[in-house]
Amino acid sequence: MNRMKTPRARRAILYVPGNETRKIEKAVTLGADSVCLDLEDGVAPNRKAEARETIARALRTLAFGASEKLSRINGVGTGFELDDLEALVPARPDGIVVPKVNDAEELRWVSARVREIESRAQIAPGSIALLGMIESARGLVNAVAIANADARVEALIFGAEDYAADVGATRTREGLEVLYARSAVVAACAAADIQAIDLLYLDFRDADGLRAETRRGAQLGYVGTQVIHPNQVPLVQEIFTPDDAAIAAAQRIVDAAAEYLAQGRGAFALDHKMVDMPIIKAAERVLARARAAGKIAME
Ligand code: COA
Ligand code: MG
């Protein structure tokens, strides 16, 4: 039967301010699925130029191991974005994070600029991915179009603090004020068959709080989250990795489904519970996550 495609795991995207060499050197040693060298809100306006150079050098010279090389540019319309792209793209990041995306046109504009610079730098066209951040009311209402904006778009990332500020919500521990948006981003991503990356937990000394918040995101359908501190990386990566029992249960469902579907049966019983397409799809998703996390062999 058809297997779900296996995108690369992005269970933790670790941000590092783009002008802090010491942290950048540390970030690439931590086993994070993705390391994101930041040019946006983690860097003061008078340090942007220096950060561009530091990031380009890091992308060219540091060994990232298995970590994805991401960098976050400044938003489209800030006046920084073109210089950011000119500095980054020739240094061949795996992907570019675009913050505060308000509509699909912004990502298409970034994609076209990346294409031009790729071609000048003789980089294979389309090899650099885009991850768009939804963190405004306009971004949220346009999320479906943004998720489908361009073939490069592999994920949307939910930015809860900026979103709350934009709509006038007050952030609380319970997070009900961002639940609608948090869920809407997951739905937009699922509709476009791309990844959904969850909000950032700011209190980096609070492991229990991070665990609870990350589990909630995983329950909503997120496959990864944003982190800002080394301690957060292993904790969230574990939560987004299916455990052995979940993998075994999913494998049983998928194996049984293959047999029953071959016999022309769409619904069947397994352990006294009905299994049909949505259950099979959920099991396929568990296996896809386990494969992406390297817990079971790739196809
Ligand atoms: N990436 C890599 N290393 C990091 C790191 C990060 N994001 N955050 C902290 N570290 C390092 C520190 O440099 C320190 O290393 P050292 O022991 O070799 O000196 C070690 O981890 C412990 O750091 P700690 O003292 O606990 O944290 P801090 O008080 O120095 O820093 C923050 C706290 C929040 C300022 C820091 O974690 C940070 O800069 N995070 C990223 C912020 C960011 O990028 N924001 C924008 C995107 S949302
Ligand atoms: Mg933000």
Side-chain angles (χ1 to χ4, degrees):
M1 71 184 291
N2 278 341
R3 295 281 189 176
M4 302 199 71
K5 71 174 187 201
T6 304
R8 75 179 300 153
R10 295 190 175 100
R11 294 166 300 176
I13 296 183
L14 172 65
Y15 289 105
V16 199
N19 58 329
E20 296 194 35
T21 304
R22 184 187 169 89
K23 283 183 189 164
I24 295 174
E25 285 169 357
K26 184 167 186 131
V28 301
T29 67
L30 299 169
D33 285 344
S34 305
V35 171
C36 183
L37 310 180
D38 191 25
L39 278 169
E40 201 217 11
D41 288 347
V43 177
N46 61 0
R47 288 286 178 277
K48 303 281 188 198
E50 173 197 332
R52 283 184 197 116
E53 282 179 27
T54 304
I55 293 175
R57 198 177 324 113
L59 290 172
R60 287 200 165 94
T61 60
L62 283 188
F64 277 64
S67 296
E68 181 183 30
K69 301 179 183 185
L70 297 179
S71 183
R72 181 167 75 171
I73 63 170
N74 289 279
V76 176
T78 57
F80 292 120
E81 66 277 23
L82 201 50
D83 289 342
D84 291 349
L85 291 171
E86 292 284 357
L88 292 179
V89 173
R92 300 177 187 241
D94 297 315
I96 292 172
V97 175
V98 184
K100 302 186 179 73
V101 180
N102 290 307
D103 57 45
E105 193 44 49
E106 292 183 11
L107 282 189
R108 282 195 282 271
W109 181 89
V110 172
S111 180
R113 298 294 81 70
V114 171
R115 177 74 198 85
E116 289 167 5
I117 307 168
E118 275 174 344
S119 134
R120 260 189 275 134
Q122 304 193 326
I123 298 171
S127 59
I128 298 175
L130 295 182
L131 294 80
M133 297 191 67
I134 302 297
E135 44 188 350
S136 65
R138 279 181 63 208
L140 188 75
V141 298
N142 291 323
V144 176
I146 293 169
N148 286 293
D150 188 87
R152 290 182 198 269
V153 181
E154 293 188 6
L156 294 185
I157 303 172
F158 178 48
E161 307 311 318
D162 280 297
Y163 177 80
D166 193 47
V167 302
T170 304
R171 291 289 278 130
T172 65
R173 265 192 100 73
E174 296 71 34
L176 279 180
E177 69 284 354
V178 295
L179 180 57
Y180 164 70
R182 200 177 181 189
S183 298
V185 168
V186 170
C189 290
D193 198 16
I194 64 171
Q195 291 175 327
I197 310 296
D198 200 12
L199 55 77
L200 181 65
Y201 190 73
L202 294 171
D203 187 353
F204 58 87
R205 304 263 179 245
D206 175 14
D208 289 340
L210 174 64
R211 239 179 242 116
E213 191 73 287
T214 306
R215 286 209 186 96
R216 201 166 303 132
Q219 286 161 355
L220 289 174
Y222 281 95
V223 299
T225 193
Q226 309 164 79
V227 297
I228 49 164
H229 193 276
N231 293 348
Q232 297 180 312
V233 172
L235 202 152
V236 308
Q237 292 198 160
E238 185 185 335
I239 290 173
F240 285 114
T241 308
D243 63 22
D244 294 343
I247 294 171
Q251 191 65 59
R252 262 192 90 215
I253 291 171
V254 167
D255 291 346
E259 260 175 56
Y260 281 103
L261 289 176
Q263 296 164 17
R265 289 180 59 191
F268 58 92
L270 192 66
D271 301 332
H272 310 298
K273 285 198 207 114
M274 186 194 71
V275 173
D276 65 355
M277 234 358 148
I279 311 292
I280 299 166
K281 274 171 108 175
E284 287 281 1
R285 271 193 192 277
V286 170
L287 296 182
R289 285 186 195 194
R291 270 196 297 276
K295 274 198 82 167
I296 54 177
M298 291 279 176
E299 302 279 284

